[in-house]
Amino acid sequence: MAGRKGRARGELPARLVHGVSDRLGTTRFLHQNLRKAFPAHWSFLLGEIALYSFVILVITGIFLTLFFKPSGMPVVYDGSYAALRGLSMSEAYASTLHISFDVRGGLLMRQIHHWGAIIFLAAITIHLLRIFFTGAFRKPREINWLIGVTLFVLALAEGFAGYSLPDDLLSGTGLRIMEGVVLSIPVAGTYLAMWVFGGQFPASEDFLPRLFTVHILLVPGLLIALITAHLMILWHQTHTIWPGKGRRERTVSGEPTFPHFAAQSTAYFLFTFGVLAGLGAFAQVNPVWLYGPYEPDQISTGSQPDWYVGFLEGSLRIMAPLETNLFGHTIPWNVLVPAVVLPGVFFTLIAMYPFAERWATGDERLHHLLDRPRNAATRTAIGAAAVAWYGNLWAAGGNDVIAYIFGIPLFWTTWFFRAGFVAAPVLAFLVTRRICLSLQRRDLRARREGVESGLISLTPEGGFRERHEQPSDEEAALLRTRRPAELVAPYPNHLIPLPTPDRARTQVRTRVNRFYMNYQAESYGGGQGDLSRDPRDGGPRQEDDGG
């Protein structure tokens, strides 16, 4: 009887699992997806840092929500921090001090949350750069690229909203700048500012509850929806993979989802949480008690925003003081251009780049193999130029701090970064493309002459020469390059070259194509794996020096 009861107890979970699977098809779904291949290369884990940081942000944010009071009502502080006791402040700032000094573990959670936001933005940035420089945005992944750029913009807005909630002097200064940016919009600026702030700035009694709702509900909801869509598309389309021996466009190799990738991801999440917990415990960030409550007539000397909005600060600082009075309206170009037009154009160009490259190259093929950045010299140079341009603006955001530390006039630093706004991206583009071409030629030389072995031999003439050896098959697969001649657009050949619009468009597209493709080489299989085979596999091969 005991054995029958034991079997009955053991059969019940099995019958339950079978019943659920019979109705929902879970067994078939798990069987198909648990063996899905994931690349083992470390660069594919950069996006996971962003995902895990977001999860930690949600967890710590829920904790902070239980104690934070998003209210601008004035109160007199009587908490544990003696330096501010008896001072009038908003209820939001007082509750932030309460979390920091009176709630058990509150300061640790605040700091983990803040560090999580910084790492979240940094991980998204590095992940986007990895995708850009390796060409992972190409067909069929353009939609996921657009989702990624949108996630980046939303993450910027979410970070700024959270940074502004404590209503301290530093965050209030950032909100004052935001109000000026909104007011710079012609005609509609005044109405938008009144709508956003619920009245005349600071209007914290109405604005802080709105900002809190945006921070904990609206933007996180959009982020969760887009992250879910991003992962679903990624799962459907599979990962990209680095070129190598035997790798082709139609196959993706790697480790199975279970147990390898699942165990690796679990450990990686715990590692990310441990790093953020360590930063929260030992690295102070955003000590709002040192800044004091926000007062419109006060500002902190040397105040700097978080790194991810530093480029906007820099663009405002180096812009010339220009404005226009037109039909009774003042258009402040010194705010409108650097803080509204410039970031709008910047993020639009980032989002549209995959389509611009496809138009320039005419490449309509599916790509699952990545490019080595050196083998896409023009794209890599464009990316380096964008990084240099962004870095120049980011450094310009601290021009006053740089001038103070090095003891130089502030106007010198301002003009230096103004010149760098144009010169830095141009110089970065030229230098990076030449470096890529040099690396391509070095790969070709290693392919033809072999690689250094470190072995010195005596020649019959009595000299010494280092022996070169043929690279391994895996190294040879990376060293082999080819120029995709089928993507090079021919110059138009008209019998009567009339200046028609169609001819002008063709001429422009041809020149853009040549500008791009003349410096473009693809590694063996990098976008061409199914079209060209190595002679050792029984097929033709073309090689070029990429220059």
Side-chain angles (χ1 to χ4, degrees), residues 320-446:
L322 301 175
E323 64 178 35
T324 302
N325 293 310
L326 188 64
F327 302 115
H329 295 279
T330 300
I331 304 176
W333 301 109
N334 57 323
V335 179
L336 178 65
V337 171
V340 179
V341 177
L342 191 69
V345 172
F346 178 57
F347 288 115
T348 300
L349 290 176
I350 293 176
M352 294 295 105
Y353 181 83
F355 307 98
E357 179 175 304
R358 190 174 65 184
W359 175 80
T361 62
D363 189 356
E364 297 289 344
R365 303 160 301 173
L366 294 177
H367 292 275
H368 294 304
L369 288 178
L370 298 172
D371 281 334
R372 298 177 78 196
R374 67 184 64 179
N375 291 333
T378 302
R379 180 202 301 145
T380 303
I382 291 173
V387 171
W389 178 83
Y390 181 94
N392 180 79
L393 289 181
W394 179 78
N399 65 338
D400 55 339
V401 178
I402 295 173
Y404 174 76
I405 292 177
F406 292 98
I408 56 179
L410 178 63
F411 292 106
W412 288 14
T413 61
T414 301
W415 277 104
F416 175 82
F417 291 118
R418 284 177 178 174
F421 183 86
V422 177
V426 173
L427 184 63
F429 180 89
L430 296 175
V431 171
T432 302
R433 192 159 67 172
R434 296 312 307 174
I435 291 174
C436 290
L437 296 178
S438 298
L439 291 173
Q440 288 181 27
R441 294 189 179 101
R442 189 186 71 173
D443 288 348
L444 180 64
R445 186 166 57 251

Side-chain angles (χ1 to χ4, degrees), residues 184-462:
S184 70
I185 301 174
V187 182
T190 304
Y191 303 100
L192 287 173
M194 294 290 287
W195 176 74
V196 169
F197 290 98
Q200 194 70 28
F201 181 84
S204 56
E205 294 184 15
D206 294 323
F207 175 66
L208 286 178
R210 295 183 180 186
L211 187 64
F212 184 69
T213 302
V214 169
H215 181 66
I216 70 167
L217 184 62
L218 178 59
V219 179
L222 294 174
L223 287 172
I224 292 173
L226 289 175
I227 290 173
T228 303
H230 185 74
L231 295 177
M232 290 175 65
I233 294 173
L234 173 65
W235 192 272
H236 172 71
Q237 293 178 341
T238 73
H239 278 77
T240 51
I241 192 170
W242 287 103
K245 180 185 177 183
R247 293 176 179 173
R248 297 291 183 267
E249 287 287 7
R250 299 294 179 179
T251 59
V252 177
S253 60
E255 297 176 343
T257 304
F258 185 85
H260 297 80
F261 182 74
Q264 177 181 276
S265 294
T266 302
Y268 209 57
F269 171 77
L270 295 176
F271 178 77
T272 304
F273 182 78
V275 169
L276 288 176
L279 288 172
F282 300 109
Q284 180 175 271
V285 62
N286 198 26
V288 295
W289 53 90
L290 299 180
Y291 309 142
Y294 176 66
E295 296 292 341
D297 59 341
Q298 298 180 13
I299 189 171
S300 299
T301 302
S303 59
Q304 297 292 307
D306 276 344
W307 73 269
Y308 45 85
V309 291
F311 79 103
L312 289 175
E313 178 85 3
S315 64
L316 283 167
R317 293 191 181 201
I318 66 174
M319 180 64 184
L322 301 175
E323 64 178 35
T324 302
N325 293 310
L326 188 64
F327 302 115
H329 295 279
T330 300
I331 304 176
W333 301 109
N334 57 323
V335 179
L336 178 65
V337 171
V340 179
V341 177
L342 191 69
V345 172
F346 178 57
F347 288 115
T348 300
L349 290 176
I350 293 176
M352 294 295 105
Y353 181 83
F355 307 98
E357 179 175 304
R358 190 174 65 184
W359 175 80
T361 62
D363 189 356
E364 297 289 344
R365 303 160 301 173
L366 294 177
H367 292 275
H368 294 304
L369 288 178
L370 298 172
D371 281 334
R372 298 177 78 196
R374 67 184 64 179
N375 291 333
T378 302
R379 180 202 301 145
T380 303
I382 291 173
V387 171
W389 178 83
Y390 181 94
N392 180 79
L393 289 181
W394 179 78
N399 65 338
D400 55 339
V401 178
I402 295 173
Y404 174 76
I405 292 177
F406 292 98
I408 56 179
L410 178 63
F411 292 106
W412 288 14
T413 61
T414 301
W415 277 104
F416 175 82
F417 291 118
R418 284 177 178 174
F421 183 86
V422 177
V426 173
L427 184 63
F429 180 89
L430 296 175
V431 171
T432 302
R433 192 159 67 172
R434 296 312 307 174
I435 291 174
C436 290
L437 296 178
S438 298
L439 291 173
Q440 288 181 27
R441 294 189 179 101
R442 189 186 71 173
D443 288 348
L444 180 64
R445 186 166 57 251
R447 172 67 180 169
R448 290 174 174 172
E449 302 175 4
V451 295
E452 298 178 356
S453 63
L455 301 176
I456 306 298
S457 59
L458 180 65
T459 65
E461 293 80 12

